[in-house]
Amino acid sequence: MPPRNDDAAMERDGAAAGDHGAAPGSDPHAEAKAKPGTEAGSGVVTVTTCEDGPLLVRGAFELVTQDGESIPAGRATVALCRCGLSSVKPFCDGSHKAAGFKAASEPDLPG
Amino acid sequence: MRLPAPRGPLTSLLFERLVHPPEAYPYRANGRAGQGRFTDHQHPRAPHGHLSERRPAADGRSAHAYAHLIGGHGAEGWPSPLHVGDGGLGDDDFQLALFACYELHYQGFQDVDDRWEWHPWLLAARAVLEERFEEALGRAVARPSLDGPKGVRRALNELTADDAGPSVSTFLARHADRGQFREFVVHRSIYHLKEADPHTWAIPRLRGAAKAALVEIQADEYGGGRPERMHSELFRATMRGLGLDDSYGAYLGQVPGITLAVSNAMSLFGLHRRLRGALAGHLAALEMTSSLPNRRYATGLRRLGGDDDAARFYDEHVQADAVHEQIAAHDLCANLAAGEPALAQDILYGAACALELERLWAGHVLDRWERGVTSLVEAPAAKVPAREGCDAASKR
Ligand code: FES
Ligand SMILES: [Fe+2]
Ligand SMILES: [Fe+2]
């Protein structure tokens, strides 16, 4: 079992990330934001598909190599490259923009 | 930090007043004393122990100054708006005066009484400067067009992609010498040593998802609970690695007006609730134009012999701002525009201001370097107390 890449602060943040987007339902500013699986206390890790950009990962996640080596995340929320062009994989370094990477936030439909 | 040397008539007058305790003013409404207001008995003491000799309302001059202020005629002893000039974005004297007014809301100055922060004279003077500054920004920055609040995200992408300006980061990566890299870091220290602070002013002014997004970004800027990871702390390591003085404000006296204007815009947007949209857009523009230049800064610093500790600030920003830009553009700005459509235009304007100030700053720096001269303020005038050079200062 590899050591968790996050430390106490990360775990705290991870717990807090569970509250992410949870806001008073009566607040019109907040309604658009509440995402599935992010309700307070759900403990679910969320992966957000950013339009033309990376995957944002929030929650009590752990990044590991195929050999089980820990990959330090360095922060509570990370952006994982999905354009393939980053120089700091698996993280995004913004290279997707210069390359004109295109991907909708919504999933591609089969066929 | 202490007040730097004045750079002209505005800062001479302002600093001359700031080094004295503020004159008392009648801090009562409708003649009713108490009620949480300072009375003669409760007159606040200065933190350093000096107490203004004058009592509120007992002083004809201060009463006159107050009447003058609330009459809307500006502060007594302050040059009329005409004399303030046009608030030029590169005007050293003007920008330093405004910067000093704002700094009272951040860490303040050791040689300035903390009561000045909310003193009506100071606030009236600042208002005159801010009006000129807003006008100057209005002249320099066109309001980007926008079709509806839903277009904010796309418009931000287009604004930040259209980066045709001179590239300091490319120059630093490939050509700069160590002295030039140090100058670059001196300029940036004005903001990076208080990194994230100006945008934090927006937190209590937002609600719901936009607020949560801003807090998520700021938490990361402030190290996620670990002080040694605060971006301002990482920057101090960069400064030390280059033999620079890493104490807060050490180089305030050496940066030109345009560098101060970069910070002043953030403070202007941050300290006025009506400009919260511009502040959000300003942050998005910073985050959306950060990852790739920071990679080049790191490359340049390593090329010049910088070690990992010195480069960590830049390495960190490559990854951090790839996250922050998504949150800032979508979760902060798009949500804010959806919740408060009236702010949509301001969001873009704030972003455009950030980009234009950066372009002007880059133009100044590269122009100076091309001519083989320093991009910092030339050796100050003789009456200014001798300041140590960059190298000497590092020995403190
Ligand atoms: S998704 Fe950002 S660099 Fe690949
Ligand atoms: Fe940062
Ligand atoms: Fe950032």
Side-chain angles (χ1 to χ4, degrees):
Chain A
M1 188 57 193
R4 283 186 58 89
N5 62 28
D6 47 14
D7 54 16
M10 262 283 299
E11 295 199 344
R12 206 167 55 238
D13 291 340
D19 297 298
H20 189 86
S26 59
D27 186 343
H29 304 182
E31 301 232 49
K33 180 60 190 276
K35 296 172 189 141
T38 59
E39 289 78 18
S42 73
V44 172
V45 171
T46 62
V47 180
T48 306
T49 54
C50 298
E51 183 183 354
D52 303 337
L55 305 169
L56 285 195
V57 186
R58 294 184 176 94
F61 63 85
E62 186 177 5
L63 286 176
V64 292
T65 68
Q66 284 182 302
D67 290 332
E69 292 293 320
S70 172
I71 301 172
R75 66 200 70 259
T77 301
V78 296
L80 299 181
C81 175
R82 67 164 168 157
C83 76
L85 297 170
S86 172
S87 63
V88 290
K89 297 186 197 70
F91 305 106
C92 165
D93 71 353
S95 295
H96 57 267
K97 285 181 286 184
F101 173 67
K102 291 282 169 218
S105 185
E106 294 70 31
D108 290 339
L109 297 172
Chain B
M1 159 169 61
R2 305 185 76 81
L3 282 174
R7 305 254 187 98
L10 279 178
T11 41
S12 294
L13 175 60
L14 177 64
F15 294 178
E16 162 59 24
R17 292 202 76 161
L18 289 182
V19 293
H20 300 292
E23 194 170 89
Y25 54 92
Y27 206 100
R28 295 175 185 183
N30 307 324
R32 281 177 296 126
Q35 309 270 332
R37 296 184 166 87
F38 298 127
T39 66
D40 289 10
H41 304 298
Q42 298 165 311
H43 189 62
R45 277 174 192 278
H48 308 303
H50 43 252
L51 173 67
S52 172
E53 294 308 312
R54 295 196 177 91
R55 292 287 182 237
D59 179 328
R61 273 184 61 214
S62 66
H64 170 73
Y66 190 60
H68 205 58
L69 288 179
I70 56 181
H73 298 298
E76 187 188 15
W78 189 257
S80 75
L82 282 179
H83 297 134
V84 171
D86 66 358
L89 299 177
D91 181 330
D92 290 2
D93 188 35
F94 179 93
Q95 296 296 341
L96 182 60
L98 183 55
F99 187 93
C101 293
Y102 285 145
E103 189 55 34
L104 300 174
H105 294 293
Y106 295 98
Q107 304 294 318
F109 298 94
Q110 286 157 331
D111 44 349
V112 174
D113 189 315
D114 286 347
R115 285 174 297 175
W116 274 116
E117 181 186 3
W118 294 105
H119 193 280
W121 183 88
L122 190 284
L123 296 180
R126 196 185 90 189
V128 172
L129 298 173
E130 286 179 314
E131 205 181 313
R132 291 295 167 274
F133 186 46
E134 276 197 70
E135 288 166 4
L137 282 174
R139 283 192 300 273
V141 184
R143 289 204 160 248
S145 61
L146 172 69
D147 358 298
K150 279 198 168 45
V152 160
R153 173 76 206 257
R154 185 164 305 272
L156 282 173
N157 285 345
E158 283 164 12
L159 263 182
T160 53
D162 173 28
D163 196 11
S167 173
V168 170
S169 64
T170 303
F171 183 85
L172 290 171
R174 300 189 191 143
H175 311 294
D177 61 30
R178 198 173 155 87
Q180 287 166 330
F181 204 101
R182 286 161 49 99
E183 279 191 20
F184 163 70
V185 169
V186 165
H187 284 285
R188 293 296 210 215
S189 70
I190 302 301
Y191 171 59
H192 287 327
L193 292 180
K194 62 157 79 84
E195 183 155 329
D197 288 346
H199 300 100
T200 297
W201 297 120
I203 293 174
R205 293 161 182 180
L206 300 177
R207 300 185 62 204
K211 187 205 265 303
L214 180 55
V215 170
E216 186 178 26
I217 294 170
Q218 298 300 82
D220 204 29
E221 300 285 350
Y222 291 128
R226 287 166 289 182
E228 73 284 1
R229 291 194 61 118
M230 291 175 67
H231 290 181
S232 53
E233 283 301 311
L234 299 180
F235 192 73
R236 294 180 65 205
T238 303
M239 295 188 80
R240 290 191 300 270
L242 285 162
L244 293 166
D245 183 349
D246 67 348
S247 54
Y248 186 87
Y251 296 103
L252 180 55
Q254 296 185 28
V255 296
I258 186 63
T259 305
L260 298 170
V262 168
S263 278
N264 284 341
M266 302 183 218
S267 297
L268 171 72
F269 298 158
L271 287 167
H272 294 269
R273 199 181 71 85
R274 71 183 162 88
L275 297 174
R276 64 196 180 282
L279 187 68
H282 185 284
L283 177 60
L286 291 192
E287 302 289 3
M288 295 172 81
T289 54
S290 172
S291 288
L292 296 176
N294 273 286
R295 194 166 115 202
R296 293 192 279 261
Y297 301 146
T299 301
L301 185 50
R302 289 198 165 88
R303 177 177 61 77
L304 294 165
D307 62 13
D308 287 350
D309 280 345
R312 183 158 297 119
F313 174 85
Y314 301 118
D315 294 340
E316 165 73 11
H317 278 88
V318 172
Q319 285 178 41
D321 288 347
V323 178
H324 299 171
E325 76 163 294
Q326 300 298 333
I327 302 172
H330 186 271
D331 300 351
L332 172 59
C333 289
N335 272 324
L336 182 58
E340 297 192 72
L343 296 182
Q345 184 72 59
D346 278 3
I347 292 172
L348 292 188
Y349 180 65
C353 286
L355 298 169
E356 181 58 23
L357 286 166
E358 173 71 13
R359 263 193 289 273
L360 292 171
W361 173 82
H364 163 85
V365 169
L366 292 175
D367 172 66
R368 292 298 186 90
W369 287 350
E370 233 160 66
R371 290 192 276 132
V373 296
T374 177
S375 63
L376 299 174
V377 171
E378 311 282 352
K383 63 177 176 139
V384 175
R387 264 193 109 79
E388 293 172 55
C390 293
D391 276 313
S394 71
K395 304 206 170 64
R396 305 179 23 160

